[in-house]
Amino acid sequence: MLNPRQDLKPNTAAYETQALVKPTGFREYDARWILEKEINLLGIQALGLGLATYVQEIGVAPKIVTGHDFRSYSLSVKQALILGLLEGGMEVLDVGLALSPMAYFGQFELDAPCVAMVTASHNENGWTGVKMGANKPLTFGPDEMGRLKEIVLNGEGVARPGGKLVRVDDFRETYVADVASKVQIKRPLKVVCACGNGTAGTFAPDALRRMGVEVIEMDTDLDYTFPKYNPNPEDHAMLVQMAQRVRETGADLALGFDGDGDRCGVVDDTGEEIFADKIGLMLARDLSKVYPDSTFVVDVKSTGLYKTDEVLKASGAEVVYWKTGHSYIKRKTAELGALAGFEKSGHFFMAGDLGHGYDDGLVAAGAVLAMLDRNPGKKLSELKSALPDAWTSLTMSPHCDDELKYGVLERIVKDYSDLAAAGGEILGRKIVEAITVNGVRVHLDDGSWVLVRASSNKPELVVVVESMRSEDDMRDLFRKEIKPRLAAYPEIGAFNQEI
């Protein structure tokens, strides 16, 4: 295998005969590039050979599920990837056009330990990428991605005999039937299903109807130009249109799915968005009554209400805060045998009786519908208003150079940890705990908290604060605590936005 190059230009002979792979595409838990500019099809083939080599290196059976999302180029990218996997001696089970969770489901249903899903998720057109795993239901984290990057960029891929391609026909039906079988809704519910013309449009309306609800389709036709908005249920443009459709149709809720269907966004019957950490809390409250003494995993950017919630306490539920990132929450959910994991970006990991433990937007949607079914006299907005009040800030990011940010963060973590150990206070409230799994999240005795962590992909720190008292108190936690404390570090620059 030749060492991939980083300096190739399209429309040249070299570009047609050599692999282009920019190292920046290897992220913490997946790979993402701008096609043609940062990677070419021969580079994708090199990635496939590198992945096959890594699988052989760690002693896992060389059997892998592949699928692709709906972009103009995703099928070509997947075919190039498959060529590399075959060269590396792997048996490839190709499920065709797929959501990421459908490919993950394939690992269980088709008894294959590995997965490589070609998707750019919710990124704009032009991007491509691969989500990979070799230990179901987990996907790669920083260690696996680091070794894969070495193998690919150093040309360490090893060609082996035994490569085989199996085309798995009609796997969409197997997947949709499995998802729908977990939920059967008895109360009449009218649901807006928003897909942003992304891949989920082929799967979500059918799955929701089979769960027993009336579906109002919204942008479910496949169109890889994404003419209205990017399929991303965290984006304002998509949420505004979901809310408008709920108000127009008198729907009970809207469910929105991202480009590869592993995330779900929720808008209630009044047209208000419910952030994923609050939906997670509503689900945890509901599920903890059905499954007492359960464990739930949430990321450190999520609301502090999980810690103080009386319903969860009464059901014996335990909540563990863990590192932000879908790969980390998925791994911790599996490690602890938790019933579910919730990440604020909209990844939900339903395990045990509820799912296989990976992030699946359709399974998450089913869990929200089942919660409404168990509370037949209540609207979604009423379940939301039953939560205690909490005022959460925007995510604010002060600049800090990539090569400096982790060193600076280490000092901030020590600063807060020392304050906690000394029985210190913040704005008149005693510090009860400093969680240091991902930066530092400082919990106060009234349930309020402040968080400082490093951005995983930008030269920035990340700051979030939440008050259980008032909006003014939330502003004070930032202006009178976080901002002056960070101002003492000359390496930290201006914030991208402030409350």
Side-chain angles (χ1 to χ4, degrees):
M1 175 177 168
L2 292 171
N3 285 26
R5 287 174 52 178
Q6 298 173 36
D7 59 344
L8 300 178
K9 295 281 185 287
N11 208 20
T12 62
Y15 187 90
E16 292 297 307
T17 54
Q18 296 180 55
L20 166 71
V21 183
K22 293 277 177 83
T24 48
F26 293 92
R27 308 297 174 91
E28 268 189 77
Y29 28 76
D30 58 18
R32 252 173 239 195
W33 292 272
I34 298 174
L35 190 62
E36 296 188 349
K37 186 176 167 188
E38 298 175 341
I39 197 164
N40 62 5
L41 291 176
L42 290 169
I44 297 284
Q45 191 175 333
L47 176 71
L49 178 57
L51 176 56
T53 301
Y54 177 69
V55 167
Q56 300 272 7
E57 193 176 276
I58 60 173
V60 170
K63 191 175 179 184
I64 190 164
V65 177
T66 59
H68 70 280
D69 70 2
F70 190 74
R71 308 260 176 165
S72 59
Y73 43 80
S74 290
L75 178 56
S76 304
V77 169
K78 183 183 70 176
Q79 288 172 330
L81 184 77
I82 287 172
L83 278 177
L85 294 168
L86 294 174
E87 188 185 350
M90 292 200 78
E91 179 181 350
V92 179
L93 307 173
D94 184 27
V95 299
L97 180 68
L99 300 179
S100 290
M102 175 171 140
Y104 304 152
F105 171 67
Q107 291 175 274
F108 290 84
E109 186 71 14
L110 304 171
D111 191 26
C114 306
V115 67
M117 172 67 194
V118 170
T119 176
S121 187
H122 62 274
N123 282 32
E124 295 82 5
N125 272 315
W127 285 88
T128 191
V130 187
K131 291 180 176 175
M132 295 163 275
N135 178 19
K136 60 192 176 196
L138 310 182
T139 39
F140 285 173
D143 293 346
E144 296 94 336
M145 288 305 299
R147 178 60 189 135
L148 178 63
K149 180 180 179 179
E150 276 177 12
I151 293 170
V152 175
L153 296 182
N154 297 336
E156 296 173 24
V158 179
R160 289 180 170 89
K164 177 185 177 187
L165 176 60
V166 179
R167 185 187 157 100
V168 184
D169 289 322
D170 299 325
F171 196 64
R172 173 198 172 279
E173 171 58 31
T174 310
Y175 164 68
V176 170
D178 180 77
V179 167
S181 70
K182 293 178 171 53
V183 183
Q184 286 307 306
I185 305 302
K186 295 173 192 69
R187 74 181 273 195
L189 288 173
K190 193 191 287 190
V191 181
V192 172
C193 173
C195 299
N197 304 108
T199 323
T202 299
F203 300 87
D206 186 15
L208 295 177
R209 283 192 183 100
R210 292 194 203 188
M211 290 177 194
V213 299
E214 180 187 341
V215 174
I216 299 163
E217 296 192 25
M218 176 178 159
D219 306 324
T220 56
D221 294 335
L222 296 186
D223 185 341
Y224 46 60
T225 65
F226 305 143
K228 297 196 177 166
Y229 48 82
N230 233 30
N232 179 5
E234 270 193 300
D235 270 9
H236 185 64
M238 185 168 181
L239 290 164
V240 165
Q241 295 200 30
M242 286 165 65
Q244 190 179 331
R245 186 60 68 89
V246 166
R247 293 189 190 109
E248 285 169 4
T249 59
D252 295 286
L253 71 160
L255 297 166
F257 303 95
D258 72 337
D260 66 331
D262 61 5
R263 288 189 298 133
C264 177
V266 182
V267 168
D268 73 14
D269 49 284
T270 70
E272 290 294 313
E273 174 194 0
I274 310 179
F275 289 109
D277 57 340
K278 299 283 173 67
I279 280 284
L281 178 55
M282 290 158 68
L283 288 172
R285 284 178 143 208
D286 179 60
L287 291 168
S288 66
K289 294 171 191 167
V290 184
Y291 303 95
D293 304 320
S294 291
T295 300
F296 299 96
V297 178
V298 298
D299 75 315
V300 293
K301 283 162 64 180
S302 292
T303 178
L305 291 171
Y306 286 98
K307 278 283 188 196
T308 56
D309 192 72
E310 296 302 331
V311 176
L312 293 183
K313 283 178 188 168
S315 304
E318 184 189 357
V319 177
V320 175
Y321 284 90
W322 197 242
K323 297 177 185 178
T324 292
H326 64 83
S327 182
Y328 297 122
I329 302 295
K330 186 162 22 187
R331 197 163 291 234
K332 198 67 177 174
T333 301
E335 184 189 306
L336 297 177
L339 182 63
F342 308 116
E343 202 203 5
K344 196 171 181 181
S345 64
H347 291 271
F348 297 84
F349 309 89
M350 314 306 288
D353 294 342
L354 309 172
H356 292 292
Y358 50 74
D359 35 348
D360 187 329
L362 298 185
V363 171
V368 173
L369 296 175
M371 171 177 68
L372 282 167
D373 207 42
R374 277 193 286 269
N375 294 274
K378 295 219 168 109
K379 296 178 176 178
L380 192 57
S381 56
E382 291 169 334
L383 293 175
K384 181 182 71 173
S385 61
L387 298 178
D389 286 329
W391 290 265
T392 315
S393 73
L394 304 161
T395 299
M396 298 169 282
S397 299
H399 182 85
C400 192
D401 291 345
D402 277 327
E403 58 272 23
L404 300 176
K405 66 186 181 188
Y406 291 105
V408 171
L409 183 65
E410 214 172 283
R411 285 150 54 204
I412 295 167
V413 170
K414 185 178 186 311
D415 193 7
Y416 273 123
S417 298
D418 290 350
L419 189 62
E425 293 187 343
I426 287 177
L427 303 190
R429 278 156 281 182
K430 192 169 167 46
I431 296 173
V432 293
E433 153 179 60
I435 300 171
T436 58
V437 295
N438 188 199
V440 62
R441 176 173 165 137
V442 185
H443 280 254
L444 309 180
D445 58 14
D446 67 346
S448 303
W449 53 274
V450 301
L451 167 75
V452 185
R453 56 182 285 268
S455 167
S456 55
N457 51 21
K458 288 182 180 173
E460 295 173 343
L461 299 179
V462 174
V463 170
V464 182
V465 301
E466 182 176 71
S467 169
M468 299 300 161
R469 294 185 177 184
S470 67
E471 188 160 344
D472 285 343
D473 183 59
M474 179 259 285
R475 293 174 191 282
D476 285 348
L477 286 169
F478 173 66
R479 292 174 181 167
K480 296 180 181 176
E481 166 55 35
I482 291 275
K483 197 176 177 186
R485 193 176 292 274
L486 297 193
Y489 294 85
E491 304 94 333
I492 298 176
F495 282 80
N496 66 333
Q497 58 181 357
E498 295 185 25
I499 48 172

